[in-house]
Amino acid sequence: SEPTMDVGCRIWHYTVGPPTKEGQLAKEGLSPFLAYIGGPDGEFSHKDRSYYAGDRIRKAVVIVNDTESTVKFGGGWELTTQDGKKVTGGRIRRTKIGPGELAPEKIHIAFKAPKVKQRTDYLLKLNGDADREAHVTDTFALTVFPKEKPPVIAGKMKLYLYDPIGDTRKMLNEAGVKFEMLASTLPPA
């Protein structure tokens, strides 16, 4: 027969042992003090991951303090190759996070994307510390592509553009492509 309490309720049995991977993830995600890498300037849900060499990469350290006391948070960050070789890194200044505060804009990580000759994958790692028990580490995958050289149009060819709205003109200018604007849909005779 199953054990019961005096009030006739069933007594539940619990498994004892190390937490499963899913259990550990739930514990970290439900931590009352949490820090993770998100999009910059309050746009913490932006998960941009692809950049060109030399681009400025800017991410926020998003902090959630679901406790009833002020927590001091600091630590460091580093960009590593997939095999763990450190490329760059920095310190995070100690910052006070108030009780119940959601802080998606207080702390930022910014650096230039490394020069690469081919597509290269990196890991941005947050190694935070707090003056209380908390989940303050995160890893964010990034990809850096080589900076492309502007395309060259062969020979005496000319590129003509009819673009009354200006979207294509902007894109070609950013890409460094030379062209001649047309006032109408036909090139000059």
Side-chain angles (χ1 to χ4, degrees):
S1 77
E2 288 194 21
T4 57
M5 295 172 63
D6 289 346
V7 293
C9 296
R10 179 179 173 163
I11 296 176
W12 296 97
H13 299 274
Y14 294 99
T15 303
V16 177
T20 63
K21 180 180 177 184
E22 293 80 8
Q24 185 61 35
L25 288 172
K27 180 182 176 186
E28 293 169 0
L30 296 172
S31 172
F33 187 87
L34 175 68
Y36 64 92
I37 300 168
D41 305 317
E43 301 289 338
F44 59 89
S45 62
H46 286 189
K47 296 289 185 175
D48 300 344
R49 296 179 182 277
S50 299
Y51 299 89
Y52 284 110
D55 282 356
R56 183 170 186 254
I57 298 175
R58 184 169 152 85
K59 297 289 179 190
V61 178
V62 180
I63 301 172
V64 179
N65 181 4
D66 197 19
T67 70
E68 295 178 1
S69 59
T70 297
V71 178
K72 293 179 185 170
F73 173 82
W77 63 271
E78 63 183 17
L79 183 71
T80 67
T81 59
Q82 290 289 321
D83 60 1
K85 181 181 171 192
K86 183 177 176 179
V87 176
T88 188
R91 300 292 310 152
I92 297 171
R93 66 177 167 76
R94 207 119 181 98
T95 304
K96 289 182 180 181
I97 309 299
E101 184 175 355
L102 169 62
E105 299 180 22
K106 271 192 173 180
I107 301 171
H108 283 87
I109 297 169
F111 57 96
K112 275 192 166 188
K115 291 183 180 180
V116 295
K117 294 181 180 177
Q118 62 186 18
R119 174 190 168 151
T120 308
D121 294 324
Y122 293 96
L123 296 173
L124 179 59
K125 297 179 180 181
L126 170 64
N127 300 306
D129 66 75
D131 61 357
R132 64 167 292 130
E133 184 180 345
H135 177 70
V136 291
T137 61
D138 194 17
T139 302
F140 191 87
L142 299 172
T143 301
V144 178
F145 294 89
K147 194 82 165 179
E148 296 292 326
K149 295 180 181 169
V152 177
I153 298 175
K156 295 183 179 184
M157 283 177 69
K158 280 190 170 182
L159 178 63
Y160 294 96
L161 176 64
Y162 176 69
D163 184 21
I165 295 174
D167 292 342
T168 305
R169 175 181 39 210
K170 181 181 175 191
M171 181 194 63
L172 291 174
N173 280 331
E174 287 176 3
V177 176
K178 296 185 186 315
F179 58 89
E180 187 175 320
M181 287 297 298
L182 296 175
S184 68
T185 57
L186 297 173

